Amino acid sequence: CFALAAILLLSTAALAAQPVNRITILYDAFGKSSPLKKDWGFSAFIEYNGKRILFDTGNNADTFGQNVKALGIDLKKLDFVVISHRHGDHTSGLNYLLSVNASVTIYTPKEEFGVFGAALPGTFYRKDGSLPVYMRYYDGQVPEKMTFGTAWPNANFVWVDNLTEVVPGMFLISTVSQTPGTLELRELSLAIKSPKGVVLGVGCSHPGIEKILEASMAVDKHVHLIFGGLHLVTTPDPDIGRIAAALHDQWKVDRIAPGHCTGEPAFAAFRKAFGDQYLYAGLGSVIELP
């Protein structure tokens, strides 16, 4: 009996030690009835191979904090944070995050004069030595590096502008929008290598989901799951249908869990295209990962 009890105890301990691999949706404007507050914006909490990652922070710091508390998530234990892009419906929860975890590493897109701060060499602008000192920037004594401010001056921002492996098997993909309205907007996507292919987290896909998928091929040639916003909320039905078919038939994406700015007509189109491989991802949803 003692030996059996010892074996059961060891088995239970081994199961408890296994990492939980899942995504929890913390912020979105749709979801099933729950104590969580719906609002336009996006945030997801990812647990994978023992790592705890926050992806975006939603549209309102109070709402974000309320949802985090309701779900029992401890933001003090994050390994890192990813902010996909500078829009307020993805960044406003930073004020709550920093109030409970001021030192956490936060990966953001690198932009000149961006909201997350920036730095440029003092050589970036043209100079005219013929001017009197009082007409010259810095009296003509330009610093080697010029740093620019942010609304979160104490945050530990790390700027990213190329494919970056932040921890083994977890990558940040940097893309740039060429779409009118968001022209030159830089966006980060999270790519996690799983045994079944890439798990791809997108904030709004402003550069276009197919452009992001193309960039993800540098991590793995196969995408197992896409979750997040695909920014088809105002896209005409024929274009939505083409994209849904392309992701399923050409890109061979296994599963899709769209949310946020994907749009209601696109939810319907993706559900039709992917069938039982369409995963509902409303506020409070938990998506299990391989």
Side-chain angles (χ1 to χ4, degrees), residues 15-275:
L15 286 171
Q18 290 179 352
V20 175
N21 294 336
R22 63 189 177 187
I23 301 162
T24 304
I25 306 301
L26 305 183
Y27 209 107
D28 215 320
F30 73 103
K32 298 175 182 177
S33 180
S34 77
L36 305 178
K37 185 176 180 180
K38 300 179 184 72
D39 183 35
W40 191 268
F42 188 68
S43 178
F45 176 60
I46 301 121
E47 298 164 274
Y48 200 80
N49 284 350
K51 298 297 183 185
R52 298 161 58 88
I53 305 134
L54 180 66
F55 185 84
D56 286 341
T57 63
N59 183 60
N60 178 280
D62 291 338
T63 300
F64 174 69
Q66 175 184 320
N67 289 351
V68 164
K69 290 174 186 174
L71 290 165
I73 292 169
D74 187 353
L75 297 180
K76 296 188 177 97
K77 295 181 178 178
L78 295 173
D79 288 280
F80 61 90
V81 178
V82 179
I83 299 295
S84 62
H85 62 295
R86 64 177 180 249
H87 288 168
D89 55 337
H90 295 256
T91 61
S92 296
L94 277 170
N95 292 316
Y96 177 77
L97 168 67
L98 292 170
S99 74
V100 297
N101 191 344
S103 62
V104 66
T105 299
I106 305 170
Y107 293 98
T108 69
K110 182 180 181 181
E111 298 182 301
E112 293 182 2
F113 303 99
V115 297
F116 307 114
L120 289 172
T123 55
F124 93 92
Y125 66 88
R126 296 179 61 221
K127 300 168 179 60
D128 188 338
S130 70
L131 290 172
V133 167
Y134 60 82
M135 290 182 68
R136 301 197 64 196
Y137 300 129
Y138 301 100
D139 297 327
Q141 304 298 314
V142 187
E144 184 177 338
K145 183 172 78 170
M146 300 170 62
T147 57
F148 305 99
T150 169
W152 305 280
N154 297 319
N156 181 21
F157 289 133
V158 176
W159 305 319
V160 176
D161 63 356
N162 52 38
L163 182 65
T164 302
E165 188 173 19
V166 291
V167 297
M170 296 186 183
F171 298 78
L172 295 179
I173 297 169
S174 175
T175 50
V176 183
S177 174
Q178 301 300 321
T179 306
T182 58
L183 193 64
E184 297 185 356
L185 177 72
R186 295 179 179 271
E187 187 164 335
L188 297 182
S189 303
L190 175 66
I192 300 172
K193 291 198 76 166
S194 84
K196 294 186 177 181
V198 164
V199 173
L200 185 62
V202 291
C204 270
S205 305
H206 287 296
I209 185 58
E210 290 184 278
K211 184 173 182 178
I212 295 170
L213 279 168
E214 184 179 358
S216 77
M217 297 295 105
V219 176
D220 193 304
K221 298 298 183 185
H222 181 67
V223 172
H224 173 64
L225 170 69
I226 298 172
F227 72 92
L230 303 181
H231 211 266
L232 304 172
V233 70
T234 62
T235 302
D237 287 343
D239 294 333
I240 291 173
R242 183 199 67 77
I243 292 170
L247 266 56
H248 184 268
D249 300 334
Q250 297 170 28
W251 292 97
K252 305 294 185 184
V253 175
D254 292 336
R255 309 166 87 195
I256 194 159
H260 183 41
C261 58
T262 301
E264 293 176 10
F267 291 156
F270 281 113
R271 186 172 63 175
K272 181 179 179 181
F274 280 81

